[in-house]
Amino acid sequence: RLAPILLTWLRAGLLTGLRPAEWRATDLETRDDQTAPGGRRVWLYGINAKATNGRGTGVARTLDLSGFSDADIETVRRMVDQGRTWLDQNRFSDMQSQCSSLLYATTAKIWPKRRYAYSLYSTRHQAIANWKSILPPEEIAAIVGHGITTTASTHYGKRRSAWAPDRIPPPPRPVPEELSVIRQRIRLWE
């Protein structure tokens, strides 16, 4: 019964790079805009889980998903709705734990000798590795909510682990306000 939810969670994580716990407080906004790709603008709003001590771009972050396909927007919408439902029912942590256990058990059966197990957090690592091959570091930092560019380069998936360019879905785009925070910090530390 959890397999479809787990698949949605994995795909949404690969598309957005959100931490698993960040899905508990997200919202999706869509507006018609004929100047935008697909005739619409789409934003994903979320709480930045690591915003303490100046480590992030702020308490919340916004991702522009306007370049996503309709199918990918629908995947993100399903995960947003699922996270909100679980939060409203005070079950988010329990459901995250159950989905994590299912992923662990499934991958252990597929790769019984594998040294490291896949986790819900693995999608964030893969998303960042993919983006390292197509985006500048300051955009990646803004997308994933880091206050500086070195966090992604030091602590997350390596560029050599990126998928082939034709397999990488269009990445979310940072909103200008959050990107400017990163660029301002870069200028201060140069």
Side-chain angles (χ1 to χ4, degrees), residues 24 81-92:
R24 79 176 64 235
D81 291 346
Q82 191 64 71
R84 184 179 303 123
T85 298
W86 290 339
L87 183 65
D88 290 347
Q89 297 169 348
N90 200 26
R91 296 179 25 188
F92 188 92

Side-chain angles (χ1 to χ4, degrees), residues 52-68:
T52 59
N53 301 324
R55 294 185 298 169
T57 53
V59 175
R61 73 178 183 275
T62 302
L63 301 180
D64 183 346
L65 308 184
S66 301
F68 280 25

Side-chain angles (χ1 to χ4, degrees), residues 97-146:
S97 178
Q98 288 184 45
C99 286
S100 293
S101 294
L102 175 60
L103 180 60
Y104 181 83
T106 302
T107 57
K109 284 186 180 185
I110 296 170
W111 299 288
K113 296 178 192 234
R114 187 175 176 90
R115 185 172 170 196
Y116 299 106
Y118 285 103
S119 70
L120 291 173
Y121 214 94
S122 298
T123 61
R124 181 173 171 85
H125 281 269
Q126 186 62 57
I128 292 171
N130 289 347
W131 298 335
K132 285 179 182 180
S133 71
I134 59 173
L135 295 174
E138 64 269 14
E139 287 191 29
I140 296 169
I143 291 167
V144 299
H146 294 158

Side-chain angles (χ1 to χ4, degrees), residues 1-2 12 22 36 51 54 56 61 70-71 94 112-113 117 122 127 133 150 162 186:
R1 73 180 169 79
L2 286 178
E22 289 176 335
R61 73 178 183 275
D70 290 341
D94 180 52
K113 296 178 192 234
S122 298
S133 71
T150 56
I186 290 170

